[in-house]
Amino acid sequence: MDAQGRGRADDIDPADQWVLNPNTGEYELRLAPSAAQSSVPGPRGPGGRGTTGKGGPAGTRRTAPARRSGAAPDAEAPSPRRRTGAPAEAAAGRRGRRPVQKKAKGKKVLIWTGGTLAFVLVAASGAAYLYYEHLNNNITSVSDDGAGTGGFSKDRAINILLVGTDKRTGKGNEGYGDKNSSGHADTTLVLHVSKDRSNATVLSIPRDLITDIPDCPTTQEDGSEKVIPGKQRTRFNNSLGQEERTPSCTMRTITELTGLKMDHFMVADFNAVKTLTSAVGGVDVCLAKDIKDPDSKLDLPKGEHTIEGEEALAFVRTRHSVGFGGDLSRIELQQQFLGSMLRKLKSNDTLTSPGKMIKLAEAGTKALTVDSQISTIKKLADLGAELGKFDTKNLTFATVPVDDNPAEKVKATVVLREPQAQQLFAMVRDDVSLTEVKQEKKKEKAAEAARLKGTKAPASEVRVRILNGGAVAGSAQETLSWLQVQEGVTKSENAGNAEQPLAKTTLEYAPDQADQARRLADIMGLSGAALKPGESVTNSQGVPAMTLTLGKDFEGAGVPLTTPAKVPDDVQKATADKVECAK
């Protein structure tokens, strides 16, 4: 919208335009006595004038960008701006009585932004609808290029890629990042929310990790597709920005590295940290020592502090003054910061403040770039409702275990520490919580473990049909040959393909075949969760047999399928509910 000749919309706090109507118990837009509607940005009213707030016309904060399927033409890496959190209540310019709908508050908080008032606003009034559209137009989206699942689902676990780029964008960021760089995946987090929403895990991926970047089909501005060639044995942070790689390439790299398929991505630049921390009223952090870092410009004495804006950005960027002075020490600092921010977002101080919620909605929709699958307020709100269900005490931060690269004399990069890294990835893939949650889950785990206890039949008495239910073609025959020749399971046969693909390998058996099931589980390295008591079926000779269905998790004959029960001892982890002072 052309703002020439009008008052600056940036000078008007949207929260100041809402007041509580004591007759209805709802928040409404404040109307000036002699002017039109509100300061809420939106289309021009009659006569070509914009809607007005405090006695004068107002323009939008900026012209809303057209919805994009690819990166902006003037950026080599996506310009990370805009996104929303989950729905909250209609906003007012003061604290006071909460609006009517109270129950949904704690459920609808998105991990980065804390929420948006979208649903309530849509139902409130026509002027509120204009604000809803304003927030929608704030959102910048980039295609996921088919690298994701196509979108999260309420009936399965959710995986979100969160990336902080060091691309120098936005006013006031001239002194940050690499001057002539198109940006990198400087900070990378994988958020995994369990299927039952009782817990969540955040995996931090070191930026200097040596890994392989796969070929990346990428949507161009004209709608065509270009394949950006992959790169072997390179830093992980090159998966974004470099050679025109977009966030979808970082998604593919994460899948290649961990085996986790991403549902969505969200990308932030330096401004996101500044605006979001200011919108929430600051984030509480703790330092075990004085820090004065000329590189990040952080200057804080030891003790507890509430930081926002430039100071918050300096905090998450500092690394030379904490721990061993490297990126891994900075990761721990960032995990502490994110845990504190999440606690602040889910606190009553934030959720009961319409002013803060309005500011969060504005800052959130402008701060982040999201994938095109969640490019509207409604879709983001639906996702936020799912992400807000877990308790912060069951959110675990873990850093992928790494060692210094043994190929380097001057240590600059890291490599995966094995087998600990693969054990951690397997736990997340199999939806195993890194913290203890719910008594029901403990009972379920105990029942699964009990299936493996008891006598085991000789291998020669194990009778089993083998189906391919999503594994690589030929896996059933490979497993059959291995069982018969190397393991002595001679009463086995290849039964072809399963009717439906399975994510995980299963072994179904009748009660009187439990001893056979335990033997086969022992041979194949199956967990108690893979054993499914049920019914037997007849094999090609008409004799009752168990059914082994090889799922997508099957990696080859003789490769154990048991998921670790706990995190390896040397994996760095912390929970979001605890306050820890950075050292």
Side-chain angles (χ1 to χ4, degrees):
M1 182 189 297
D2 182 5
Q4 187 175 2
R6 302 185 180 92
R8 281 177 52 84
D10 286 344
D11 296 333
I12 301 172
D13 185 344
D16 292 337
Q17 304 302 304
W18 293 84
V19 294
L20 180 68
N21 185 333
N23 296 322
T24 64
E26 296 181 353
Y27 286 92
E28 299 175 357
L29 290 170
R30 177 190 291 118
L31 302 179
S34 59
Q37 313 305 316
S38 74
S39 67
V40 177
R44 298 185 184 186
R49 296 177 63 82
T51 55
T52 61
K54 299 179 180 179
T60 58
R61 291 177 180 266
R62 60 179 165 184
T63 301
R67 191 65 40 79
R68 305 181 299 168
S69 59
D74 62 343
E76 292 181 59
S79 174
R81 311 187 284 273
R82 349 231 194 299
R83 188 202 110 205
T84 73
E89 322 235 356
R94 66 181 185 188
R95 297 181 187 176
R97 283 178 50 195
R98 299 183 186 182
V100 176
Q101 300 177 9
K102 297 180 180 178
K103 292 184 179 179
K105 285 177 180 170
K107 299 286 186 180
K108 298 185 177 180
V109 181
L110 197 54
I111 187 169
W112 281 70
T113 65
T116 179
L117 64 167
F119 287 158
V120 175
L121 284 177
V122 167
S125 66
Y129 176 75
L130 295 182
Y131 188 58
Y132 172 87
E133 285 299 296
H134 163 71
L135 292 178
N136 253 344
N137 289 331
N138 280 349
I139 299 170
T140 293
S141 65
V142 179
S143 175
D144 71 357
D145 299 312
T149 62
F152 78 95
S153 174
K154 293 184 179 181
D155 60 355
R156 58 177 169 81
I158 298 175
N159 294 312
I160 310 286
L161 171 64
L162 307 172
V163 181
T165 176
D166 58 2
K167 180 178 172 61
R168 186 188 293 183
T169 56
K171 184 179 179 181
N173 294 326
E174 294 82 2
Y176 304 127
D178 298 330
K179 183 175 182 180
N180 299 313
S181 173
S182 56
H184 303 78
D186 192 51
T187 298
T188 303
L189 308 168
V190 175
L191 169 64
H192 171 87
V193 182
S194 66
K195 180 180 178 180
D196 66 3
R197 308 296 187 255
S198 67
N199 65 91
T201 298
V202 174
L203 288 182
S204 293
I205 313 293
R207 67 178 186 178
D208 296 323
L209 174 65
I210 294 298
T211 189
D212 295 335
I213 298 175
D215 292 344
C216 298
T218 306
T219 302
Q220 304 299 295
E221 287 293 322
D222 62 2
S224 64
E225 184 180 275
K226 173 184 177 181
V227 177
I228 300 175
K231 195 168 185 178
Q232 306 297 305
R233 307 300 296 166
T234 186
R235 276 182 167 90
F236 175 87
N237 67 353
N238 289 324
S239 65
L240 177 67
Q242 306 304 297
E243 300 177 42
E244 300 182 335
R245 295 188 180 97
T246 66
S248 66
C249 193
T250 309
M251 290 179 89
R252 295 183 195 279
T253 306
I254 286 289
T255 300
E256 188 94 355
L257 176 69
T258 67
L260 288 164
K261 188 88 167 178
M262 297 294 101
D263 294 302
H264 301 289
F265 64 72
M266 299 176 185
V267 182
D269 66 359
F270 296 127
N271 281 327
V273 176
K274 294 190 286 187
T275 59
L276 290 174
T277 53
S278 294
V280 80
V283 174
D284 301 327
V285 298
C286 180
L287 298 177
K289 63 179 181 180
D290 298 345
I291 291 183
K292 190 167 186 176
D293 185 352
D295 292 324
S296 73
K297 302 180 178 61
L298 180 66
D299 186 359
L300 285 175
K302 71 176 181 179
E304 297 181 355
H305 304 275
T306 300
I307 58 175
E308 63 177 274
E310 291 285 351
E311 197 168 47
L313 179 59
F315 183 87
V316 298
R317 291 185 67 243
T318 190
R319 58 190 175 111
H320 299 303
S321 301
V322 293
F324 295 104
D327 186 51
L328 296 180
S329 297
R330 185 182 68 155
I331 285 175
E332 292 186 37
L333 197 73
Q334 291 172 344
Q335 290 174 348
Q336 178 206 131
F337 177 85
L338 289 172
S340 179
M341 187 169 184
L342 180 59
R343 293 192 299 272
K344 188 67 172 284
L345 292 173
K346 299 188 80 167
S347 69
N348 287 333
D349 183 54
T350 299
L351 294 174
T352 60
S353 171
K356 285 185 179 179
M357 298 304 284
I358 280 278
K359 290 176 181 177
L360 278 167
E362 285 287 336
T365 51
K366 292 177 181 178
L368 306 178
T369 292
V370 301
D371 66 89
S372 52
Q373 303 290 343
I374 46 172
S375 58
T376 67
I377 292 293
K378 183 182 185 306
K379 291 178 180 178
L380 282 167
D382 287 344
L383 175 60
E386 295 302 304
L387 300 187
K389 290 179 178 178
F390 60 84
D391 194 307
T392 53
K393 70 180 181 180
N394 293 329
L395 171 62
T396 306
F397 292 98
T399 304
V400 172
V402 294
D403 291 314
D404 288 332
N405 189 347
E408 297 175 334
K409 290 184 178 179
V410 177
K411 304 304 180 184
T413 62
V414 294
V415 296
L416 291 179
R417 180 183 301 157
E418 304 292 13
Q420 291 90 335
Q422 297 307 322
Q423 291 171 347
L424 181 59
F425 296 154
M427 291 185 72
V428 179
R429 284 197 308 267
D430 290 346
D431 209 21
V432 177
S433 174
L434 303 194
T435 50
E436 288 292 333
V437 294
K438 290 188 178 182
Q439 191 65 30
E440 292 81 359
K441 273 207 167 235
K442 292 181 181 180
K443 291 179 180 179
E444 180 183 339
K445 293 298 180 184
E448 291 172 357
R451 294 171 197 162
L452 298 173
K453 297 178 180 178
T455 60
K456 300 180 180 68
S460 60
E461 294 181 8
V462 173
R463 202 180 301 272
V464 61
R465 301 164 64 250
I466 306 170
L467 296 172
N468 190 328
V472 175
S475 294
Q477 185 59 43
E478 176 193 2
T479 302
L480 175 66
S481 299
W482 174 72
L483 286 175
Q484 290 184 340
V485 176
Q486 297 188 39
E487 301 298 331
V489 184
T490 54
K491 297 177 181 178
S492 50
E493 65 180 31
N494 183 348
N497 293 326
E499 293 182 1
Q500 297 291 335
L502 297 178
K504 298 179 181 179
T505 298
T506 62
L507 175 62
E508 186 173 1
Y509 58 96
D512 61 353
Q513 296 171 322
D515 57 342
Q516 296 182 47
R518 286 190 285 268
R519 174 58 67 192
L520 190 60
D522 185 55
I523 292 173
M524 295 196 62
L526 298 177
S527 67
L531 272 59
K532 305 295 182 184
E535 298 179 355
S536 64
V537 295
T538 56
N539 61 14
S540 58
Q541 284 80 41
V543 180
M546 301 183 297
T547 300
L548 174 67
T549 305
L550 305 177
K552 295 178 181 179
D553 62 337
F554 182 77
E555 297 181 358
V559 179
L561 290 166
T562 303
T563 302
K566 68 172 187 175
V567 184
D569 292 336
D570 53 355
V571 172
Q572 179 273 324
K573 68 184 184 76
T575 54
D577 64 318
K578 295 179 180 178
V579 179
E580 296 185 15
C581 294
K583 300 178 181 179

